[in-house]
Amino acid sequence: LMMLLIVVGGALASSYDVHMDHIMALGTTLFVFMFMICLVAICHSVWLILQVRPYFDAFVCHHKADAAGQARLLKMMLDVGSKHNTFIDSDHLIDLDTLFDTVKS
């Protein structure tokens, strides 16, 4: 911060022969640079929105009789405090024939 104050103070204390061409070139360069940064940020945001993501982030498969409680606890631990969506086969399936299609997607 001190170095910045020294540089700015030195620049303000000295006299410069200002050429309008140099100022215009600098302004144009800064404008194009800022425009490109905004364009890249907008393109990146659109790409993130349009990117295909799976509906579920994790898949938990279990034996219904022996591990239903452990699977439910694991799902709750994965879902709490995060944006992840966990799939348990007994929650989201009406027909077992669609299990492979759901997991594949």
Side-chain angles (χ1 to χ4, degrees):
L1 182 61
M2 188 63 163
M3 185 62 106
L4 181 64
L5 290 175
I6 291 171
V7 170
V8 170
L12 292 174
S14 61
S15 63
Y16 285 106
D17 184 22
V18 178
H19 296 285
M20 219 34 146
D21 296 337
H22 295 150
I23 293 174
M24 287 174 42
L26 179 64
T28 303
T29 304
L30 289 175
F31 176 76
V32 168
F33 183 69
M34 292 302 291
F35 179 75
M36 293 301 290
I37 288 175
C38 291
L39 185 65
V40 167
I42 290 170
C43 289
H44 182 68
S45 298
V46 168
W47 178 75
L48 286 176
I49 290 170
L50 296 178
Q51 184 180 12
V52 177
R53 293 188 185 125
Y55 183 72
F56 297 100
D57 297 315
F59 175 75
V60 177
C61 185
H62 60 82
H63 186 268
K64 289 191 189 285
D66 294 332
Q70 291 89 349
R72 179 73 50 203
L73 178 64
L74 179 62
K75 179 190 183 322
M76 290 170 43
M77 291 173 67
L78 288 172
D79 288 344
V80 171
S82 69
K83 294 186 276 185
H84 298 294
N85 194 7
T86 306
F87 178 85
I88 292 186
D89 54 0
S90 61
D91 283 350
H92 299 283
L93 284 181
I94 297 170
D95 183 16
L96 287 177
D97 294 333
T98 62
L99 174 64
F100 292 115
D101 294 332
T102 304
V103 173
K104 183 172 53 173
S105 65

